[in-house]
Amino acid sequence: MIIQLIAIVIKTYHEVSAIKKKFRWAIAILVIILGIILVSSNSNYEITENLYGFPIPITAELVQESERVKSYNWSRASEENGIPLDYEIVLKLNGWKKGEREGANVLYTKGNHTINLASYHKVIDIMER
């Protein structure tokens, strides 16, 4: 009876070990995939010198510029949904903290600098505050 109990414990241990090994592989693959997504997302944005290093989508076309506001045509912008998740991630990775949201306007801060990002239908306005 003791021998059977020991055999069951050993068998259970091997089954648990196999599950843990599969789980570790799944986590490793997931981390690699997320890393690839983050790196490729970051390459879709360029850091601007005149907006305190605020990332701008490289596919956005500058259509209007004043001293404090830059307007871009960008097909991925939406008033209802705001900016895409990958843009939010890039902003966060570059040190910009998301603040208050009022309608289409969202404030982002980094140190002493604040940017108001307004997202409309296929247009974004980036304003220094």
Side-chain angles (χ1 to χ4, degrees), residues 31-48:
V31 167
I32 290 169
I33 290 170
L34 287 174
I36 291 169
I37 290 170
L38 287 176
V39 168
S40 66
S41 293
N42 205 23
S43 65
N44 292 326
Y45 301 91
E46 62 185 353
I47 307 302
T48 57

Side-chain angles (χ1 to χ4, degrees), residues 87-99:
Y87 194 13
E88 287 192 32
I89 291 170
V90 167
L91 291 171
K92 189 172 190 103
L93 289 174
N94 282 282
W96 290 94
K97 294 182 181 164
K98 188 175 184 177

Side-chain angles (χ1 to χ4, degrees), residues 2 11 18 25 33 40 47 50 60 63 68 72 77 79 83 88 96 99 112 121:
I2 294 177
K11 181 180 177 186
W25 274 107
I33 290 170
S40 66
I47 307 302
N50 53 352
V63 291
R68 297 178 57 125
Y72 296 87
E79 187 167 354
I83 60 174
E88 287 192 32
W96 290 94
N112 295 328
H121 179 70

Side-chain angles (χ1 to χ4, degrees), residues 9-63:
V9 169
I10 291 172
K11 181 180 177 186
T12 305
Y13 173 78
H14 288 298
E15 289 172 358
V16 169
S17 294
I19 292 170
K20 284 183 180 179
K21 190 174 185 179
K22 289 178 184 177
F23 182 73
R24 286 185 194 133
W25 274 107
I27 294 294
I29 290 169
L30 183 62
V31 167
I32 290 169
I33 290 170
L34 287 174
I36 291 169
I37 290 170
L38 287 176
V39 168
S40 66
S41 293
N42 205 23
S43 65
N44 292 326
Y45 301 91
E46 62 185 353
I47 307 302
T48 57
E49 293 178 19
N50 53 352
L51 290 172
Y52 313 116
F54 196 81
I56 306 293
I58 59 173
T59 57
E61 176 189 355
L62 182 63
V63 291

Side-chain angles (χ1 to χ4, degrees), residues 114-128:
T114 301
I115 297 288
N116 182 3
L117 176 63
S119 180
Y120 306 105
H121 179 70
K122 297 188 179 188
V123 174
I124 54 173
D125 291 338
I126 300 173
M127 299 162 261
E128 294 180 36

Side-chain angles (χ1 to χ4, degrees), residues 65-100:
E65 181 176 12
S66 68
E67 186 176 322
R68 297 178 57 125
V69 180
K70 293 186 179 199
S71 294
Y72 296 87
N73 283 342
W74 188 41
S75 62
R76 296 185 65 202
S78 166
E79 187 167 354
E80 300 82 25
N81 302 318
I83 60 174
L85 179 61
D86 66 315
Y87 194 13
E88 287 192 32
I89 291 170
V90 167
L91 291 171
K92 189 172 190 103
L93 289 174
N94 282 282
W96 290 94
K97 294 182 181 164
K98 188 175 184 177
E100 296 178 30

